[in-house]
Amino acid sequence: MDKEAIAAVLGEIGTLLELKGENPFKTRAYHNAARILEGLSEPLDTLVAEDRLGEVQGIGEALRDKISTLVRTGRLPYHEELKASVPAGLLEMLGIQGLGPKKVRKIHEELAIDSIEALEAACKDGRVAALDGFGEKSQSKLLEAIAFKRQFASRHRLVDAIAAAEPVLEALREHPDVTRCSTAGSLRRWKEVIGDIDFVVSSRRPGAVLDFFVGLPAVQSVLARGDTKASVILSGGIQADLRVVADHEFASALAYFTGSKEHNIVMRQRAIARGLRLNEYGLFRSTEETRDPALRVECPTEEDLFRELGLHYVPPELREDHGEFAAAEKRPMPRLVEWTDLRGSLHNHSDWSDGRDRLEGIVERARELGLSYWAITDHSRASFQANGLDPARLLRQLDEIDAINQRLADEGDDFRLLTGIEVDVLRDGLDLPDEWLARLDVVVASLHVPSGEEAENTRRLVAAAGNRWVHMLGHPTGRLLLERDAYKVNLNAVIEACAAAGTWIELNASPYRLDLDWRHWAHARKLGVRCVINCDAHRLEHFGYLRLGAGVARKGGLRPDDVVNTMTLPRLREALAAKRGGAGRKG
Ligand code: DGT
Ligand code: CA
Ligand code: CA
Ligand code: ZN
C-alpha cells in the first residue's frame, strides 16, 4: 500500500468516526495524520522498517501501530469493522455538496435515512426542512445538489474511461475466438467526458466471447447479456457495452458504434444520395432498409466504407460533423499530431511551488521518456496557497536549474531544463514585472482568480496575450471537467489577441482541464495561433498526460506543425526568441 492509499484510509477512519459522533479530538487526529503522511519527505516504508514512525510529529502510538499494520499487510481490521458498522449510504451522502458528517449524522439519527434516495424523498415531503438547523432553503439546495450529483454519476473523465477500457481491450484481443476488436463510441473519438465505454468485436463464436467478457475480473456487475451484446458495470462504476458481429460486418459496426450520432446521420445521407443504404450491418445496394447479404457492398475496412461514400478516411477523433466531411471530400486528411511527436512540455511545476518532485527527479523521468526539454514554470507569488515564488526564490531556482543544465552539458547530454514561470494574470497586470519575465526562457500567463464579469476576464487575458514577454496563455478557460465550469470570457476576443501578438495558447493536458477545448482549435488554427500541449505536471505520474493532450489536439484537428512542442530544442529556442520580437532570454 502506498502512502496516498494509507492516508486515504486514515482520512476515511476520521470521517467514519465523525459520522458515529466520536469525540472531535480523536477524529481530527486521523485527518491530521492523513495530511502528515501525504507531506512526508522520507519513504513511509523506510520509516516503518527502521521503526522511526514515532519520531514524526503528530503521530501518536495508536496511529503508529495502525499505519505499520497498513504498510505491512495492506489492510486494517479496525478500519474494516468501523466501515461495516456505518451504513454505506451515509458515506455516499457525504458526496453531496453541502452535507458534512455532522449533518449526515443528524439526518440519519432523526429521520432514519441511510441512502441518497431516502434523503431525496425526505426533502420532497418537507421532513428535512423541519429539522433543527436545516430549513426550507437548505432543503431545496440539497435537492439541487442531489440532481447535480446524479447528472454526473453517469459521466466520466476521459482518463478514467481509458484506464478502465485498456485492460478489457487487451483481454479481448488475446481471446482465441476474437478476430478483430476495438473500442468505439465517445472513447474512440477522444471526447473529454465519456458516458459509457463501447467495444466492438468480430468473432465466429459470439457466445464464447460474451461469456468471457461478462466473466472478466474487472466486471463488477452484469446489466444485460444477449446473443450478440452485453452491458456491464466495470469496477470504478463505468458502464461498458460490447457488441459481437461477424467479421464481414466489423467495419460497418465499428463505424456505426464509433459515431458520433451526428456524423452517422451525414454518412447515412451520403449513402442514400448514392442509391445505397448504410446501417450497423453494412452498406447495401438498396433504396430501403435492409441487411440482405445479396445486396451487400463488401467493405472489409472503414477505409473502404468511406471510399464508397466518396470520402477519404476520417480519423475517429474528427467524427463529430464538425467540418470533417468538407475536408475529407477533397483530399486525404492531413496527418494529425501524435504524442510521440512531442519533445517536452512547457508548463510544469516542481517542489519549489505546489509540485511534489525535486528538479533532479524531474530531469531523470524526462530523460527516461526520451524527451529533449522540460520547462519548470512554478507559480508566481500571488498564488500564495500554491507556495508561489517571489523574485528572491525565483533567482535561487534559476541558479539550481543552471547548475543542473551545466552538469548535463558536462555529461554530453542534450536534454535541458528550461527556466520559466506560470505568472498569475491579476486585475492590474501580471504578477511579475517585465524585467523579470524577460530573464526566463518560458512564460505562461494564467488567470487563477477570475472576476465574475466576462468583459473584465476578457480584458485581463487580452492584455496578457499582448505582453511581449508572455509566450502563451495557460488553461485559458479555467474549467475543471465535471467539477467547475469555465469562467466567463469572450474566447474569440482572446484568440484574436493571441493571433495579433503571436502568442501561443496552451492545450492543458491535465485530465481535469483539457483546456483549450478541442472545439476551438480549428478557429485558432485558421487565425495562425499555435498550440502548446502541456502536462501542467505536479508529479512524475503526470508526464503521461502528453498522450492525453495529443489525443485532444488531434480531436481539434491539429498537425505536428501547429504544435510548438514538437520542435527540436534549437528550433524551440528560436521560436521562443521570435515570439519576443527576436529578443530571447535577457540576463
Ligand atoms: P457517450 O457514451 O454518451 O459518451 O457517447 P457515445 O457517442 O459513445 O454514445 P453511445 O454509447 O450511446 O452510442 C455509441 C455510438 O452508437 C454513438 O456514438 C453513435 C451510435 N448510435 C447510438 N444510438 C444511435 C442512434 O440512435 N442513431 C445513430 N445514428 N447512431 C447511434
Ligand atoms: Ca459510449
Ligand atoms: Ca454505449
Ligand atoms: Zn495554473
Side-chain angles (χ1 to χ4, degrees):
M1 239 185 175
D2 65 9
K3 167 172 106 167
E4 275 82 15
I6 293 174
V9 171
L10 297 182
E12 189 170 284
I13 292 175
T15 305
L16 288 164
L17 292 173
E18 276 180 278
L19 285 172
K20 297 190 78 146
E22 282 278 354
N23 144 6
F25 290 105
K26 190 166 166 189
T27 64
R28 214 170 299 142
Y30 282 94
H31 288 299
N32 283 342
R35 226 165 301 132
I36 290 168
L37 285 197
E38 280 168 352
L40 276 184
S41 51
E42 258 186 286
L44 191 53
D45 295 351
T46 317
L47 285 174
V48 171
E50 295 173 6
D51 202 15
R52 292 192 288 116
L53 208 48
E55 294 168 15
V56 179
Q57 181 117 35
I59 302 214
E61 200 171 327
L63 270 161
R64 192 181 63 203
D65 291 345
K66 293 195 172 77
I67 294 170
S68 305
T69 307
L70 279 166
V71 169
R72 294 208 171 98
T73 69
R75 37 186 299 245
L76 182 63
Y78 173 70
H79 173 233
E80 286 161 15
E81 283 157 25
L82 193 60
K83 205 166 168 170
S85 73
V86 175
L90 298 193
L91 276 177
E92 268 174 38
M93 281 160 69
L94 283 176
I96 294 172
Q97 196 157 22
L99 278 188
K102 261 205 205 105
K103 287 191 170 166
V104 169
R105 193 159 68 89
K106 186 162 181 93
I107 291 172
H108 177 56
E109 279 178 354
E110 305 212 358
L111 302 175
I113 283 171
D114 59 8
S115 72
I116 292 179
E117 290 69 31
L119 175 63
E120 186 176 27
C123 284
K124 284 188 173 152
D125 61 24
R127 277 178 289 150
V128 173
L131 283 179
D132 244 13
F134 279 82
E136 288 290 341
K137 204 164 158 204
S138 52
Q139 177 171 280
S140 61
K141 278 236 171 81
L142 274 181
L143 271 177
E144 271 172 41
I146 292 170
F148 185 80
K149 186 175 157 67
R150 195 161 287 147
Q151 184 197 342
F152 282 145
S154 59
R155 301 177 70 208
H156 309 273
R157 278 177 285 271
L158 175 62
V159 76
D160 298 326
I162 292 176
E166 276 185 342
V168 175
L169 189 67
E170 279 308 304
L172 287 170
R173 190 170 282 144
E174 278 167 23
H175 192 276
D177 289 314
V178 169
T179 313
R180 286 190 274 176
C181 67
S182 174
T183 57
S186 50
L187 180 69
R188 186 169 180 236
R189 302 198 314 278
W190 283 80
K191 277 287 288 283
E192 66 278 20
V193 168
I194 304 293
D196 65 11
I197 299 170
D198 301 277
F199 298 102
V200 178
V201 161
S202 67
S203 170
R204 289 172 194 270
R205 298 182 61 213
V209 175
L210 287 163
D211 285 342
F212 175 70
F213 177 68
V214 301
L216 284 172
V219 169
Q220 202 174 69
S221 61
V222 180
L223 301 174
R225 154 77 156 89
D227 296 335
T228 58
K229 58 184 179 187
S231 292
V232 301
I233 303 288
L234 298 176
S235 35
I238 306 186
Q239 183 179 328
D241 297 340
L242 169 69
R243 272 99 176 169
V244 188
V245 300
D247 198 59
H248 64 270
E249 296 171 326
F250 184 75
S252 55
L254 180 59
Y256 181 86
F257 290 112
T258 296
S260 65
K261 218 181 253 186
E262 293 74 16
H263 172 93
N264 286 355
I265 289 170
V266 178
M267 290 287 276
R268 197 158 46 210
Q269 285 164 348
R270 293 184 70 95
I272 290 171
R274 286 164 175 74
L276 303 169
R277 281 286 162 156
L278 175 66
N279 56 40
E280 58 187 285
Y281 306 103
L283 183 65
F284 300 92
R285 280 187 202 84
S286 166
T287 52
E288 53 200 68
E289 268 315 304
T290 180
R291 46 186 297 196
D292 181 351
L295 302 176
R296 165 180 297 283
V297 180
E298 285 305 328
C299 289
T301 66
E302 282 189 323
E303 279 85 348
D304 299 319
L305 202 57
F306 281 108
R307 197 185 48 244
E308 293 292 340
L309 299 181
L311 295 166
H312 293 279
Y313 178 74
V314 177
E317 296 90 334
L318 299 184
R319 301 184 196 168
E320 299 287 351
D321 191 18
H322 202 257
E324 71 270 26
F325 290 103
E329 265 181 351
K330 290 180 225 136
R331 58 186 78 90
M333 299 294 266
R335 181 172 95 75
L336 301 175
V337 66
E338 286 165 42
W339 75 276
T340 47
D341 294 327
L342 301 177
R343 296 171 191 267
S345 160
L346 299 185
H347 169 188
N348 308 288
H349 300 270
S350 73
D351 65 353
W352 284 79
S353 67
D354 60 347
R356 190 193 58 190
D357 299 292
R358 295 161 43 89
L359 296 177
E360 295 289 350
I362 291 170
V363 170
E364 200 177 314
R365 173 58 58 86
R367 290 175 59 220
E368 274 166 20
L369 292 175
L371 298 172
S372 306
Y373 45 82
W374 196 260
I376 302 297
T377 55
D378 276 307
H379 287 283
S380 64
R381 61 191 155 184
S383 286
F384 52 87
Q385 75 296 340
N387 195 20
L389 270 59
D390 58 21
R393 288 180 65 223
L394 182 56
L395 262 187
R396 285 201 285 127
Q397 189 191 49
L398 296 188
D399 284 344
E400 194 173 320
I401 291 176
D402 271 349
I404 289 174
N405 281 334
Q406 189 56 55
R407 175 175 63 70
L408 288 165
D410 292 345
E411 290 168 2
D413 192 315
D414 291 336
F415 178 87
R416 291 293 178 274
L417 280 182
L418 299 176
T419 63
I421 194 115
E422 182 185 15
V423 65
D424 268 285
V425 175
L426 305 175
R427 191 173 46 208
D428 43 8
L430 299 176
D431 189 27
L432 266 186
D434 287 356
E435 307 84 80
W436 277 91
L437 301 181
R439 302 172 75 137
L440 303 168
D441 294 325
V442 177
V443 174
V444 182
S446 301
L447 182 53
H448 286 122
V449 187
S451 128
E453 301 293 323
E454 176 179 313
E456 172 61 13
N457 290 328
T458 307
R459 182 186 71 74
R460 291 184 203 175
L461 286 172
V462 165
N467 183 307
R468 174 182 179 190
W469 306 105
V470 168
H471 289 104
M472 70 198 89
L473 299 184
H475 47 72
T477 77
R479 74 174 180 189
L480 293 180
L481 292 168
L482 302 184
E483 273 182 18
R484 182 175 81 197
D485 285 338
Y487 44 70
K488 291 188 197 146
V489 64
N490 177 347
L491 266 183
N492 277 339
V494 174
I495 292 170
E496 278 163 24
C498 288
T503 299
W504 308 326
I505 295 181
E506 166 178 272
L507 198 172
N508 189 298
S510 157
Y512 286 84
R513 295 187 181 273
L514 302 177
D515 180 12
L516 186 63
D517 186 282
W518 60 271
R519 293 163 185 84
H520 297 289
W521 283 109
H523 175 60
R525 180 176 184 279
K526 209 182 300 164
L527 297 184
V529 177
R530 299 181 87 183
C531 166
V532 194
I533 299 172
N534 284 327
C535 292
D536 194 357
H538 284 73
R539 42 175 71 201
L540 301 181
E541 298 88 285
H542 298 172
F543 283 47
Y545 294 167
L546 283 179
R547 179 182 163 218
L548 201 61
V552 174
R554 290 171 62 81
K555 193 160 187 59
L558 297 180
R559 303 135 203 218
D561 282 351
D562 302 323
V563 178
V564 171
N565 47 326
T566 61
M567 285 191 250
T568 61
L569 180 57
R571 288 207 37 224
L572 174 69
R573 287 200 195 277
E574 285 168 24
L576 289 165
K579 159 64 191 62
R580 292 171 163 179
R585 165 171 84 150
K586 270 198 206 153

